[in-house]
mmCIF file of all heavy atoms in Angstrom:
data_model
loop_
_atom_site.group_PDB
_atom_site.id
_atom_site.type_symbol
_atom_site.label_atom_id
_atom_site.label_comp_id
_atom_site.label_asym_id
_atom_site.label_seq_id
_atom_site.Cartn_x
_atom_site.Cartn_y
_atom_site.Cartn_z
ATOM 1 N N GLY A 750 -13.833 -11.637 -2.501
ATOM 2 C CA GLY A 750 -12.815 -10.703 -2.905
ATOM 3 C C GLY A 750 -12.953 -10.163 -4.276
ATOM 4 O O GLY A 750 -12.753 -8.982 -4.533
ATOM 5 N N LEU A 751 -13.402 -10.958 -5.194
ATOM 6 C CA LEU A 751 -13.673 -10.564 -6.594
ATOM 7 C C LEU A 751 -14.949 -9.737 -6.771
ATOM 8 O O LEU A 751 -15.163 -9.072 -7.758
ATOM 9 C CB LEU A 751 -13.705 -11.800 -7.491
ATOM 10 C CG LEU A 751 -12.381 -12.544 -7.666
ATOM 11 C CD1 LEU A 751 -12.608 -13.769 -8.440
ATOM 12 C CD2 LEU A 751 -11.347 -11.629 -8.339
ATOM 13 N N ASN A 752 -15.929 -9.938 -5.851
ATOM 14 C CA ASN A 752 -17.224 -9.336 -5.925
ATOM 15 C C ASN A 752 -17.582 -8.306 -4.870
ATOM 16 O O ASN A 752 -18.742 -8.102 -4.583
ATOM 17 C CB ASN A 752 -18.308 -10.467 -5.982
ATOM 18 C CG ASN A 752 -18.194 -11.306 -7.254
ATOM 19 O OD1 ASN A 752 -18.662 -10.935 -8.269
ATOM 20 N ND2 ASN A 752 -17.507 -12.417 -7.124
ATOM 21 N N SER A 753 -16.571 -7.734 -4.320
ATOM 22 C CA SER A 753 -16.762 -6.746 -3.284
ATOM 23 C C SER A 753 -15.761 -5.627 -3.420
ATOM 24 O O SER A 753 -14.740 -5.765 -4.093
ATOM 25 C CB SER A 753 -16.683 -7.386 -1.870
ATOM 26 O OG SER A 753 -15.405 -7.805 -1.633
ATOM 27 N N ARG A 754 -16.021 -4.522 -2.709
ATOM 28 C CA ARG A 754 -15.104 -3.342 -2.636
ATOM 29 C C ARG A 754 -14.198 -3.570 -1.401
ATOM 30 O O ARG A 754 -14.649 -4.182 -0.443
ATOM 31 C CB ARG A 754 -15.826 -2.071 -2.566
ATOM 32 C CG ARG A 754 -16.717 -1.802 -3.809
ATOM 33 C CD ARG A 754 -17.371 -0.366 -3.714
ATOM 34 N NE ARG A 754 -17.920 -0.091 -2.401
ATOM 35 C CZ ARG A 754 -19.117 -0.378 -1.996
ATOM 36 N NH1 ARG A 754 -19.954 -0.944 -2.835
ATOM 37 N NH2 ARG A 754 -19.498 -0.022 -0.776
ATOM 38 N N PRO A 755 -13.001 -2.988 -1.451
ATOM 39 C CA PRO A 755 -12.126 -3.070 -0.310
ATOM 40 C C PRO A 755 -12.644 -2.531 1.000
ATOM 41 O O PRO A 755 -12.274 -2.973 2.109
ATOM 42 C CB PRO A 755 -10.879 -2.274 -0.700
ATOM 43 C CG PRO A 755 -10.920 -2.303 -2.200
ATOM 44 C CD PRO A 755 -12.382 -2.292 -2.518
ATOM 45 N N ASP A 756 -13.646 -1.569 0.955
ATOM 46 C CA ASP A 756 -14.175 -1.013 2.153
ATOM 47 C C ASP A 756 -15.375 -1.809 2.745
ATOM 48 O O ASP A 756 -15.913 -1.490 3.782
ATOM 49 C CB ASP A 756 -14.572 0.427 1.972
ATOM 50 C CG ASP A 756 -15.695 0.548 0.916
ATOM 51 O OD1 ASP A 756 -15.768 -0.232 0.025
ATOM 52 O OD2 ASP A 756 -16.524 1.515 1.059
ATOM 53 N N GLU A 757 -15.821 -2.907 2.118
ATOM 54 C CA GLU A 757 -16.891 -3.687 2.532
ATOM 55 C C GLU A 757 -16.478 -4.676 3.624
ATOM 56 O O GLU A 757 -15.312 -5.091 3.699
ATOM 57 C CB GLU A 757 -17.590 -4.386 1.400
ATOM 58 C CG GLU A 757 -18.298 -3.364 0.445
ATOM 59 C CD GLU A 757 -19.067 -3.993 -0.695
ATOM 60 O OE1 GLU A 757 -18.499 -4.842 -1.375
ATOM 61 O OE2 GLU A 757 -20.233 -3.686 -0.842
ATOM 62 N N THR A 758 -17.471 -5.003 4.471
ATOM 63 C CA THR A 758 -17.207 -5.887 5.627
ATOM 64 C C THR A 758 -17.847 -7.270 5.408
ATOM 65 O O THR A 758 -18.815 -7.421 4.696
ATOM 66 C CB THR A 758 -17.768 -5.318 6.902
ATOM 67 O OG1 THR A 758 -19.130 -5.049 6.786
ATOM 68 C CG2 THR A 758 -17.045 -4.041 7.333
ATOM 69 N N VAL A 759 -17.230 -8.287 6.065
ATOM 70 C CA VAL A 759 -17.734 -9.654 5.946
ATOM 71 C C VAL A 759 -17.892 -10.242 7.348
ATOM 72 O O VAL A 759 -16.939 -10.210 8.153
ATOM 73 C CB VAL A 759 -16.691 -10.496 5.168
ATOM 74 C CG1 VAL A 759 -17.201 -11.963 5.102
ATOM 75 C CG2 VAL A 759 -16.458 -9.932 3.854
ATOM 76 N N ALA A 760 -19.083 -10.726 7.672
ATOM 77 C CA ALA A 760 -19.328 -11.416 8.945
ATOM 78 C C ALA A 760 -19.196 -12.922 8.709
ATOM 79 O O ALA A 760 -19.695 -13.411 7.682
ATOM 80 C CB ALA A 760 -20.706 -11.038 9.529
ATOM 81 N N ALA A 761 -18.573 -13.575 9.616
ATOM 82 C CA ALA A 761 -18.393 -15.010 9.475
ATOM 83 C C ALA A 761 -18.334 -15.676 10.856
ATOM 84 O O ALA A 761 -18.021 -15.019 11.832
ATOM 85 C CB ALA A 761 -17.095 -15.366 8.729
ATOM 86 N N THR A 762 -18.738 -16.995 10.868
ATOM 87 C CA THR A 762 -18.613 -17.723 12.161
ATOM 88 C C THR A 762 -17.298 -18.407 12.306
ATOM 89 O O THR A 762 -16.741 -18.527 13.415
ATOM 90 C CB THR A 762 -19.678 -18.807 12.189
ATOM 91 O OG1 THR A 762 -19.775 -19.477 10.960
ATOM 92 C CG2 THR A 762 -21.096 -18.239 12.516
ATOM 93 N N GLU A 763 -16.692 -18.766 11.215
ATOM 94 C CA GLU A 763 -15.297 -19.354 11.165
ATOM 95 C C GLU A 763 -14.465 -18.445 10.325
ATOM 96 O O GLU A 763 -14.579 -18.470 9.155
ATOM 97 C CB GLU A 763 -15.330 -20.778 10.669
ATOM 98 C CG GLU A 763 -16.137 -21.732 11.482
ATOM 99 C CD GLU A 763 -16.060 -23.175 11.005
ATOM 100 O OE1 GLU A 763 -16.507 -23.407 9.862
ATOM 101 O OE2 GLU A 763 -15.594 -24.058 11.719
ATOM 102 N N ILE A 764 -13.584 -17.679 11.006
ATOM 103 C CA ILE A 764 -12.903 -16.668 10.235
ATOM 104 C C ILE A 764 -11.476 -16.998 9.760
ATOM 105 O O ILE A 764 -10.867 -16.233 9.073
ATOM 106 C CB ILE A 764 -12.802 -15.312 11.079
ATOM 107 C CG1 ILE A 764 -11.971 -15.580 12.331
ATOM 108 C CG2 ILE A 764 -14.175 -14.851 11.451
ATOM 109 C CD1 ILE A 764 -11.555 -14.317 13.106
ATOM 110 N N GLY A 765 -10.938 -18.165 10.063
ATOM 111 C CA GLY A 765 -9.661 -18.560 9.764
ATOM 112 C C GLY A 765 -9.163 -18.314 8.374
ATOM 113 O O GLY A 765 -8.391 -17.401 8.150
ATOM 114 N N ILE A 766 -9.605 -19.117 7.446
ATOM 115 C CA ILE A 766 -9.185 -18.997 6.054
ATOM 116 C C ILE A 766 -9.760 -17.779 5.450
ATOM 117 O O ILE A 766 -9.132 -17.158 4.635
ATOM 118 C CB ILE A 766 -9.590 -20.298 5.304
ATOM 119 C CG1 ILE A 766 -8.645 -21.424 5.702
ATOM 120 C CG2 ILE A 766 -9.562 -20.062 3.833
ATOM 121 C CD1 ILE A 766 -8.954 -22.738 5.031
ATOM 122 N N ILE A 767 -10.978 -17.396 5.809
ATOM 123 C CA ILE A 767 -11.541 -16.191 5.262
ATOM 124 C C ILE A 767 -10.701 -14.970 5.642
ATOM 125 O O ILE A 767 -10.338 -14.184 4.825
ATOM 126 C CB ILE A 767 -13.008 -15.995 5.709
ATOM 127 C CG1 ILE A 767 -13.885 -17.112 5.163
ATOM 128 C CG2 ILE A 767 -13.515 -14.634 5.376
ATOM 129 C CD1 ILE A 767 -15.251 -17.171 5.704
ATOM 130 N N GLY A 768 -10.336 -14.842 6.919
ATOM 131 C CA GLY A 768 -9.534 -13.745 7.350
ATOM 132 C C GLY A 768 -8.081 -13.750 6.766
ATOM 133 O O GLY A 768 -7.491 -12.701 6.474
ATOM 134 N N TYR A 769 -7.590 -14.988 6.558
ATOM 135 C CA TYR A 769 -6.229 -15.086 6.010
ATOM 136 C C TYR A 769 -6.243 -14.753 4.561
ATOM 137 O O TYR A 769 -5.318 -14.141 3.989
ATOM 138 C CB TYR A 769 -5.768 -16.561 6.238
ATOM 139 C CG TYR A 769 -4.385 -16.829 5.661
ATOM 140 C CD1 TYR A 769 -3.236 -16.411 6.328
ATOM 141 C CD2 TYR A 769 -4.190 -17.490 4.378
ATOM 142 C CE1 TYR A 769 -1.990 -16.624 5.822
ATOM 143 C CE2 TYR A 769 -2.959 -17.688 3.897
ATOM 144 C CZ TYR A 769 -1.889 -17.274 4.560
ATOM 145 O OH TYR A 769 -0.636 -17.510 4.098
ATOM 146 N N SER A 770 -7.286 -15.180 3.815
ATOM 147 C CA SER A 770 -7.324 -15.029 2.291
ATOM 148 C C SER A 770 -7.928 -13.696 1.876
ATOM 149 O O SER A 770 -7.702 -13.359 0.711
ATOM 150 C CB SER A 770 -8.156 -16.164 1.738
ATOM 151 O OG SER A 770 -7.706 -17.427 2.208
ATOM 152 N N LEU A 771 -8.702 -13.058 2.664
ATOM 153 C CA LEU A 771 -9.489 -11.966 2.173
ATOM 154 C C LEU A 771 -9.028 -10.613 2.813
ATOM 155 O O LEU A 771 -9.034 -10.541 3.980
ATOM 156 C CB LEU A 771 -10.932 -12.213 2.505
ATOM 157 C CG LEU A 771 -11.957 -11.321 1.936
ATOM 158 C CD1 LEU A 771 -11.988 -11.315 0.412
ATOM 159 C CD2 LEU A 771 -13.425 -11.774 2.414
ATOM 160 N N ASP A 772 -8.759 -9.678 1.981
ATOM 161 C CA ASP A 772 -8.314 -8.396 2.448
ATOM 162 C C ASP A 772 -9.550 -7.509 2.590
ATOM 163 O O ASP A 772 -9.728 -6.480 1.892
ATOM 164 C CB ASP A 772 -7.347 -7.802 1.471
ATOM 165 C CG ASP A 772 -6.659 -6.477 1.988
ATOM 166 O OD1 ASP A 772 -6.723 -6.300 3.189
ATOM 167 O OD2 ASP A 772 -6.207 -5.686 1.127
ATOM 168 N N ARG A 773 -10.374 -7.794 3.528
ATOM 169 C CA ARG A 773 -11.542 -7.050 3.894
ATOM 170 C C ARG A 773 -11.661 -7.056 5.440
ATOM 171 O O ARG A 773 -11.088 -7.884 6.123
ATOM 172 C CB ARG A 773 -12.848 -7.628 3.309
ATOM 173 C CG ARG A 773 -12.872 -7.812 1.856
ATOM 174 C CD ARG A 773 -13.028 -6.477 1.118
ATOM 175 N NE ARG A 773 -13.122 -6.655 -0.315
ATOM 176 C CZ ARG A 773 -12.085 -6.724 -1.156
ATOM 177 N NH1 ARG A 773 -10.846 -6.662 -0.657
ATOM 178 N NH2 ARG A 773 -12.242 -6.794 -2.438
ATOM 179 N N ARG A 774 -12.479 -6.134 5.980
ATOM 180 C CA ARG A 774 -12.690 -6.184 7.457
ATOM 181 C C ARG A 774 -13.629 -7.365 7.758
ATOM 182 O O ARG A 774 -14.703 -7.501 7.174
ATOM 183 C CB ARG A 774 -13.312 -4.900 7.917
ATOM 184 C CG ARG A 774 -13.547 -4.877 9.372
ATOM 185 C CD ARG A 774 -14.002 -3.546 9.948
ATOM 186 N NE ARG A 774 -14.142 -3.690 11.355
ATOM 187 C CZ ARG A 774 -15.257 -3.398 11.993
ATOM 188 N NH1 ARG A 774 -16.278 -2.827 11.309
ATOM 189 N NH2 ARG A 774 -15.392 -3.559 13.320
ATOM 190 N N ILE A 775 -13.108 -8.230 8.584
ATOM 191 C CA ILE A 775 -13.845 -9.443 8.928
ATOM 192 C C ILE A 775 -14.475 -9.273 10.331
ATOM 193 O O ILE A 775 -13.733 -8.876 11.246
ATOM 194 C CB ILE A 775 -12.881 -10.682 8.957
ATOM 195 C CG1 ILE A 775 -12.134 -10.806 7.641
ATOM 196 C CG2 ILE A 775 -13.718 -11.945 9.262
ATOM 197 C CD1 ILE A 775 -12.944 -11.021 6.422
ATOM 198 N N LEU A 776 -15.740 -9.557 10.446
ATOM 199 C CA LEU A 776 -16.424 -9.518 11.706
ATOM 200 C C LEU A 776 -16.616 -10.918 12.213
ATOM 201 O O LEU A 776 -17.298 -11.771 11.544
ATOM 202 C CB LEU A 776 -17.765 -8.788 11.545
ATOM 203 C CG LEU A 776 -17.702 -7.377 10.991
ATOM 204 C CD1 LEU A 776 -19.094 -6.865 10.659
ATOM 205 C CD2 LEU A 776 -16.964 -6.480 11.966
ATOM 206 N N ASP A 777 -16.107 -11.257 13.350
ATOM 207 C CA ASP A 777 -16.177 -12.555 13.945
ATOM 208 C C ASP A 777 -17.364 -12.740 14.895
ATOM 209 O O ASP A 777 -17.394 -12.115 15.964
ATOM 210 C CB ASP A 777 -14.829 -12.872 14.699
ATOM 211 C CG ASP A 777 -14.867 -14.114 15.552
ATOM 212 O OD1 ASP A 777 -15.676 -15.031 15.225
ATOM 213 O OD2 ASP A 777 -14.112 -14.121 16.497
ATOM 214 N N SER A 778 -18.387 -13.479 14.437
ATOM 215 C CA SER A 778 -19.584 -13.608 15.252
ATOM 216 C C SER A 778 -19.388 -14.316 16.569
ATOM 217 O O SER A 778 -20.218 -14.292 17.491
ATOM 218 C CB SER A 778 -20.677 -14.282 14.476
ATOM 219 O OG SER A 778 -20.443 -15.631 14.226
ATOM 220 N N CYS A 779 -18.221 -15.012 16.719
ATOM 221 C CA CYS A 779 -17.975 -15.762 17.948
ATOM 222 C C CYS A 779 -17.239 -14.832 18.997
ATOM 223 O O CYS A 779 -17.028 -15.231 20.098
ATOM 224 C CB CYS A 779 -17.117 -17.018 17.663
ATOM 225 S SG CYS A 779 -18.007 -18.219 16.729
ATOM 226 N N GLY A 780 -16.864 -13.630 18.576
ATOM 227 C CA GLY A 780 -16.367 -12.678 19.503
ATOM 228 C C GLY A 780 -14.851 -12.812 19.762
ATOM 229 O O GLY A 780 -14.334 -12.133 20.728
ATOM 230 N N LEU A 781 -14.137 -13.721 19.128
ATOM 231 C CA LEU A 781 -12.730 -13.911 19.402
ATOM 232 C C LEU A 781 -11.859 -12.713 19.028
ATOM 233 O O LEU A 781 -10.979 -12.290 19.751
ATOM 234 C CB LEU A 781 -12.219 -15.121 18.681
ATOM 235 C CG LEU A 781 -12.889 -16.461 19.022
ATOM 236 C CD1 LEU A 781 -12.454 -17.557 18.171
ATOM 237 C CD2 LEU A 781 -12.636 -16.760 20.548
ATOM 238 N N VAL A 782 -12.207 -12.034 17.914
ATOM 239 C CA VAL A 782 -11.424 -10.843 17.535
ATOM 240 C C VAL A 782 -12.374 -9.651 17.272
ATOM 241 O O VAL A 782 -11.962 -8.576 16.851
ATOM 242 C CB VAL A 782 -10.615 -11.085 16.264
ATOM 243 C CG1 VAL A 782 -9.533 -12.158 16.541
ATOM 244 C CG2 VAL A 782 -11.437 -11.518 15.060
ATOM 245 N N THR A 783 -13.683 -9.852 17.482
ATOM 246 C CA THR A 783 -14.684 -8.721 17.250
ATOM 247 C C THR A 783 -15.443 -8.570 18.531
ATOM 248 O O THR A 783 -16.434 -9.261 18.806
ATOM 249 C CB THR A 783 -15.630 -9.063 16.129
ATOM 250 O OG1 THR A 783 -14.856 -9.399 14.945
ATOM 251 C CG2 THR A 783 -16.563 -7.875 15.775
ATOM 252 N N PRO A 784 -15.017 -7.603 19.417
ATOM 253 C CA PRO A 784 -15.682 -7.429 20.719
ATOM 254 C C PRO A 784 -17.131 -7.090 20.570
ATOM 255 O O PRO A 784 -17.954 -7.385 21.531
ATOM 256 C CB PRO A 784 -14.902 -6.284 21.323
ATOM 257 C CG PRO A 784 -13.654 -6.080 20.494
ATOM 258 C CD PRO A 784 -13.859 -6.732 19.230
ATOM 259 N N GLU A 785 -17.568 -6.482 19.465
ATOM 260 C CA GLU A 785 -19.013 -6.127 19.312
ATOM 261 C C GLU A 785 -19.918 -7.410 19.413
ATOM 262 O O GLU A 785 -21.183 -7.235 19.689
ATOM 263 C CB GLU A 785 -19.273 -5.450 17.925
ATOM 264 C CG GLU A 785 -18.562 -4.191 17.748
ATOM 265 C CD GLU A 785 -17.207 -4.335 17.053
ATOM 266 O OE1 GLU A 785 -16.599 -5.398 17.152
ATOM 267 O OE2 GLU A 785 -16.819 -3.363 16.324
ATOM 268 N N ALA A 786 -19.369 -8.540 19.149
ATOM 269 C CA ALA A 786 -20.194 -9.784 19.243
ATOM 270 C C ALA A 786 -20.506 -10.237 20.567
ATOM 271 O O ALA A 786 -21.418 -10.946 20.841
ATOM 272 C CB ALA A 786 -19.445 -10.936 18.469
ATOM 273 N N LEU A 787 -19.664 -9.805 21.544
ATOM 274 C CA LEU A 787 -19.736 -10.370 22.909
ATOM 275 C C LEU A 787 -21.147 -10.116 23.540
ATOM 276 O O LEU A 787 -21.648 -10.963 24.308
ATOM 277 C CB LEU A 787 -18.657 -9.841 23.773
ATOM 278 C CG LEU A 787 -17.199 -10.244 23.372
ATOM 279 C CD1 LEU A 787 -16.174 -9.586 24.244
ATOM 280 C CD2 LEU A 787 -17.103 -11.790 23.339
ATOM 281 N N GLU A 788 -21.734 -8.975 23.293
ATOM 282 C CA GLU A 788 -23.028 -8.739 23.885
ATOM 283 C C GLU A 788 -24.179 -9.614 23.403
ATOM 284 O O GLU A 788 -25.219 -9.661 23.989
ATOM 285 C CB GLU A 788 -23.418 -7.252 23.733
ATOM 286 C CG GLU A 788 -23.876 -6.842 22.323
ATOM 287 C CD GLU A 788 -24.274 -5.434 22.217
ATOM 288 O OE1 GLU A 788 -25.500 -5.108 22.507
ATOM 289 O OE2 GLU A 788 -23.418 -4.577 21.902
ATOM 290 N N PHE A 789 -23.883 -10.355 22.292
ATOM 291 C CA PHE A 789 -24.899 -11.246 21.734
ATOM 292 C C PHE A 789 -24.651 -12.729 22.051
ATOM 293 O O PHE A 789 -25.337 -13.601 21.581
ATOM 294 C CB PHE A 789 -25.010 -11.048 20.202
ATOM 295 C CG PHE A 789 -25.292 -9.620 19.898
ATOM 296 C CD1 PHE A 789 -24.300 -8.805 19.432
ATOM 297 C CD2 PHE A 789 -26.565 -9.127 20.056
ATOM 298 C CE1 PHE A 789 -24.539 -7.452 19.144
ATOM 299 C CE2 PHE A 789 -26.800 -7.775 19.726
ATOM 300 C CZ PHE A 789 -25.856 -6.972 19.273
ATOM 301 N N LEU A 790 -23.688 -12.914 22.916
ATOM 302 C CA LEU A 790 -23.234 -14.267 23.381
ATOM 303 C C LEU A 790 -23.504 -14.484 24.832
ATOM 304 O O LEU A 790 -23.317 -13.543 25.579
ATOM 305 C CB LEU A 790 -21.799 -14.491 23.028
ATOM 306 C CG LEU A 790 -21.395 -14.388 21.518
ATOM 307 C CD1 LEU A 790 -19.917 -14.461 21.320
ATOM 308 C CD2 LEU A 790 -22.167 -15.354 20.674
ATOM 309 N N PRO A 791 -23.889 -15.608 25.266
ATOM 310 C CA PRO A 791 -24.235 -16.800 24.439
ATOM 311 C C PRO A 791 -25.575 -16.551 23.660
ATOM 312 O O PRO A 791 -26.372 -15.779 24.202
ATOM 313 C CB PRO A 791 -24.373 -17.923 25.437
ATOM 314 C CG PRO A 791 -24.707 -17.258 26.715
ATOM 315 C CD PRO A 791 -24.040 -15.920 26.697
ATOM 316 N N VAL A 792 -25.643 -17.226 22.565
ATOM 317 C CA VAL A 792 -26.870 -17.113 21.756
ATOM 318 C C VAL A 792 -28.017 -17.814 22.490
ATOM 319 O O VAL A 792 -27.847 -18.938 22.969
ATOM 320 C CB VAL A 792 -26.653 -17.719 20.387
ATOM 321 C CG1 VAL A 792 -27.879 -17.598 19.500
ATOM 322 C CG2 VAL A 792 -25.462 -17.055 19.705
ATOM 323 N N PRO A 793 -29.172 -17.127 22.593
ATOM 324 C CA PRO A 793 -30.306 -17.816 23.288
ATOM 325 C C PRO A 793 -30.718 -19.109 22.663
ATOM 326 O O PRO A 793 -30.592 -19.228 21.403
ATOM 327 C CB PRO A 793 -31.441 -16.742 23.148
ATOM 328 C CG PRO A 793 -30.770 -15.461 22.807
ATOM 329 C CD PRO A 793 -29.472 -15.789 22.104
ATOM 330 N N ARG A 794 -31.108 -20.024 23.446
ATOM 331 C CA ARG A 794 -31.493 -21.413 22.969
ATOM 332 C C ARG A 794 -32.557 -21.341 21.869
ATOM 333 O O ARG A 794 -32.435 -22.067 20.850
ATOM 334 C CB ARG A 794 -32.033 -22.212 24.151
ATOM 335 C CG ARG A 794 -32.472 -23.587 23.772
ATOM 336 C CD ARG A 794 -31.395 -24.508 24.009
ATOM 337 N NE ARG A 794 -31.882 -25.880 23.831
ATOM 338 C CZ ARG A 794 -31.067 -26.909 23.634
ATOM 339 N NH1 ARG A 794 -29.756 -26.657 23.628
ATOM 340 N NH2 ARG A 794 -31.512 -28.070 23.497
#
């Protein structure tokens, strides 16, 4: 939050506290709230 601009995005695997604490667009790599992730799941072995 201190080292980014408001229009920048953040990708994370666990978005709970990050999404709660940070006023930025959060990209959820697990696809729970970011549908763009679904095409990459499940992750290949």
